[in-house]
Amino acid sequence: LISTPGEYAAAKAMKALALGLNAMLFSDNVTLRDEIELKQIARSRGLLVMGPDCGTAIIQGIPLGFANAVRRGGIGVVGASGTGTQQVTCLVHQFGAGISHAIGTGSHDLSAQVGGTTMLQGIKALAEDRTTKVIVLVSKPPSPEVARKVLAAARRCGKPVVVNFVGAPSGSIGGGNLHQADTLEEAALAAV
């Protein structure tokens, strides 16, 4: 978990990757160029970079950054919105279910430049995780081309996927294992 001024955060994350560690960058003000480079290096090494500007995650029941105490269970979340991720995890808990993992991507991950690297890795990780039965994707408005790539990966993952992409027209996402939710409440309830 890296929480230093942005100008130093990329170097700390690079050191973590060199040591074979996944990294969560709570720090903001990391350049887009550094974010892209870090995520490409992490992906090539089978590691994960959450962030920069990743405010929340829950990995194997351990809260990172700002996270709420929620029960463990079969719902995994990959979120490019920390506030949205927190809301979904709390609602899942209130509805009686639990969270396997909540993977934060950072707010720029679904931009055209970054390409959804962490969200794609998160979908793959949750698809392979035996404890995760349902996946929820949460994002502020994604780049259209990245949204298509993410939804294609979600369709192939082999598990039910609830999608809450802010701004997506109602009824525009669905079919097969994909279930669109227009609100965070709908996303949590559909996952449960």
Side-chain angles (χ1 to χ4, degrees):
L1 174 60
I2 298 163
S3 182
T4 62
E7 62 184 298
Y8 307 110
K12 295 292 183 189
M14 193 64 76
K15 183 176 180 181
L17 296 175
L19 293 170
L21 301 172
N22 297 300
M24 176 179 169
L25 282 147
F26 189 79
S27 307
D28 60 1
N29 296 318
V30 174
T31 68
L32 193 57
R33 188 174 133 248
D34 284 341
E35 178 175 353
I36 293 166
E37 181 182 12
L38 287 167
K39 289 183 175 188
Q40 288 174 346
I41 290 170
R43 183 179 57 209
S44 73
R45 295 180 182 177
L47 299 170
L48 188 67
V49 170
M50 294 181 284
D53 193 28
C54 180
T56 190
I58 302 170
I59 306 299
Q60 296 182 356
I62 306 298
L64 300 172
F66 292 108
N68 298 285
V70 295
R71 77 177 56 78
R72 298 288 310 269
I75 299 172
V77 180
V78 186
S81 166
T83 304
T85 298
Q86 286 188 32
Q87 179 72 354
V88 168
T89 61
C90 287
L91 287 169
V92 164
H93 178 87
Q94 287 176 3
F95 294 151
I99 300 297
S100 59
H101 307 279
I103 300 170
T105 68
S107 59
H108 302 290
D109 191 67
L110 273 76
S111 68
Q113 299 91 334
V114 180
T117 304
T118 301
M119 185 161 282
L120 292 167
Q121 287 182 281
I123 292 168
K124 183 178 185 293
L126 293 177
E128 294 171 356
D129 179 53
R130 290 184 300 148
T131 64
T132 301
K133 306 302 180 204
V134 177
I135 300 170
V136 178
L137 305 179
V138 177
S139 179
K140 299 167 188 166
S143 153
E145 62 268 19
V146 175
R148 283 190 291 277
K149 189 165 46 168
V150 166
L151 294 173
R155 279 187 186 92
R156 293 187 307 267
C157 81
K159 295 183 179 182
V161 180
V162 178
V163 182
N164 176 247
F165 286 171
V166 173
S170 188
S172 65
I173 299 170
N177 65 325
L178 298 186
H179 309 278
Q180 184 173 2
D182 294 329
T183 69
L184 297 170
E185 292 78 11
E186 285 179 26
L189 193 56
V192 171

